[in-house]
Amino acid sequence: MLIVENISYAYADTQVLENIHFSLAPGEILSIVGASGSGKSTLLKAVYGLFDLPQGKISWKGTPVLGPAYNLLPGFPQMKYLAQDFGLMPYMTVEENVGKYLSNLDLPKKRARIAELLEMTLMQDYAKVKPIFLSGGQQQRVGLAKALAQAPEVLLLDEPFSQTDSFLKHHIRQNLFDFVKEHHITTLIATHESQEALGFSDKIMVIKEGKQLLIDTPESVYYTQNEYIASLFDIVNKLSVQGEPRLYYPHQIHIVPQSPWQVQVEQCFFQGDYYLLRCKAAQGTIYVKHTQSVEKEKKVCLEIGS
């Protein structure tokens, strides 16, 4: 089990992490979400052992994770960390980068492992290409394959799909999380794609200005009544229900034939499989998801659903 006990870290008199605490069982996936500068990347580096922590402890299966003061080479051996610079050797080919730390004692096994990882990241057609000739997104995928090559027990990913094209991202992400689940790899992901984290995470942690606000299941985090947390996942409507302030996402408010709640449509935005309506109401601006386009200035009736 990965145990993080009340760790804190400051840089140049600025508190970057404060009293972060959680535990993960082998094979669990944790997404760390928050605004830019909230401390997501710093937390991954701390877990990997790149810092000497002034407060708190980190351990994996009972073994302390210690910082540079205790290790000649910083980093915990059972973990792999994919930073945003990918860590590739520019004049080695893609397959040489992925297999750099794999043993040559069994070359067929090594070649099979490299082929498996390149196929998983959709980079099999670039095996003989050097990273200097690849795009940033392609280099990122090679870095991911390299991080997985030695089958780590813990995988730390810092914005692993930030440079990957949207039409490839969904396929590669599904391949990755199928892989880590199959091999029981505990995985921590720092991501700004909060909405997409819902589908593959066992737990989601939300941090703000270095402080841990919440860690829970995706469902519980998504339906929180904390405005900052909810706004990471979608537009938030703030309403008063029976005198109590409540938060609702646009999909929780529906157009109905009749109701006491009448609003006027200001704008209708096509979003692919739905239309996002911006409406003027007595309570202020209300956003609603609807299956059909609605003309501007039209008055419609709303009700709160599920």
Side-chain angles (χ1 to χ4, degrees):
M1 178 172 284
L2 177 66
I3 300 177
V4 175
E5 299 180 71
N6 298 316
I7 64 170
S8 295
Y9 181 74
Y11 176 76
D13 298 325
T14 300
Q15 196 72 34
V16 185
L17 298 174
E18 186 174 346
N19 295 321
I20 304 293
H21 55 278
F22 63 92
S23 62
L24 292 176
E28 278 196 304
I29 298 173
L30 170 69
S31 287
I32 305 162
V33 302
S36 297
S38 58
K40 302 188 297 293
S41 298
T42 304
L43 177 55
L44 291 186
K45 292 174 183 177
V47 172
Y48 189 48
L50 296 183
F51 302 137
D52 293 310
L53 296 170
Q55 175 184 316
K57 297 184 294 182
I58 302 172
S59 64
W60 170 247
K61 294 183 177 178
T63 301
V65 177
L66 303 174
Y70 299 90
N71 293 296
L72 182 61
L73 295 175
F76 193 69
Q78 287 79 16
M79 299 181 183
K80 289 297 178 184
Y81 167 56
L82 177 61
Q84 295 189 44
D85 62 4
F86 317 139
L88 302 179
M89 300 298 292
Y91 298 105
M92 297 173 66
T93 66
V94 165
E95 62 183 3
E96 287 169 344
N97 267 283
V98 174
K100 182 179 179 182
Y101 299 111
L102 295 178
S103 172
N104 288 320
L105 294 177
D106 190 339
L107 286 176
K109 181 179 179 180
K110 177 178 179 177
R111 285 193 287 267
R113 179 70 171 173
I114 293 171
E116 176 191 18
L117 293 170
L118 291 182
E119 183 176 357
M120 186 198 76
T121 54
L122 305 183
M123 288 298 294
Q124 61 269 37
D125 294 337
Y126 300 89
K128 304 297 183 182
V129 179
K130 294 177 181 177
I132 56 173
F133 300 114
L134 299 177
S135 69
Q138 290 169 330
Q139 291 181 28
Q140 190 172 44
R141 286 146 60 190
V142 177
L144 179 59
K146 181 181 177 182
L148 288 167
Q150 291 183 295
E153 295 180 6
V154 180
L155 181 64
L156 309 170
L157 303 174
D158 194 354
E159 304 285 1
F161 308 111
S162 61
Q163 298 191 41
T164 303
D165 297 327
S166 296
F167 68 95
L168 293 174
K169 185 183 299 183
H170 302 294
H171 190 179
I172 296 169
R173 184 171 52 234
Q174 190 60 60
N175 287 349
L176 169 65
F177 294 112
D178 287 346
F179 184 93
V180 299
K181 281 297 184 182
E182 180 183 351
H183 292 83
H184 305 289
I185 300 172
T186 301
T187 305
L188 285 75
I189 309 150
T191 178
H192 65 277
E193 298 178 344
S194 309
Q195 181 70 246
E196 297 185 3
L198 296 171
F200 57 76
S201 306
D202 295 305
K203 296 178 181 177
I204 293 178
M205 175 193 290
V206 181
I207 60 175
K208 180 182 181 182
E209 298 176 350
K211 297 179 181 179
Q212 178 179 328
L213 299 186
L214 179 65
I215 180 169
D216 211 328
T217 64
E219 293 88 348
S220 296
V221 172
Y222 182 74
Y223 286 111
T224 179
Q225 287 297 303
N226 179 293
E227 185 177 353
Y228 172 80
I229 297 174
S231 66
L232 294 172
F233 297 95
D234 205 341
I235 299 170
V236 177
N237 295 300
K238 294 182 287 184
L239 300 172
S240 178
V241 179
Q242 296 180 343
E244 294 291 328
R246 298 287 297 174
L247 304 177
Y248 294 96
Y249 294 115
H251 73 83
Q252 295 177 290
I253 300 176
H254 309 302
I255 294 179
V256 294
Q258 284 190 332
S259 81
W261 187 13
Q262 189 177 75
V263 301
Q264 185 176 43
V265 176
E266 290 186 325
Q267 288 287 344
C268 181
F269 305 99
F270 177 63
Q271 301 290 298
D273 59 342
Y274 67 91
Y275 292 84
L276 180 65
L277 309 181
R278 188 179 72 207
C279 305
K280 183 179 180 180
Q283 302 91 335
T285 300
I286 302 294
Y287 289 90
V288 181
K289 287 184 178 179
H290 192 53
T291 55
Q292 298 176 356
S293 176
V294 180
E295 61 189 40
K296 291 170 61 175
E297 310 297 330
K298 183 176 181 179
K299 292 185 177 180
V300 297
C301 295
L302 304 179
E303 71 175 12
I304 297 171
S306 57

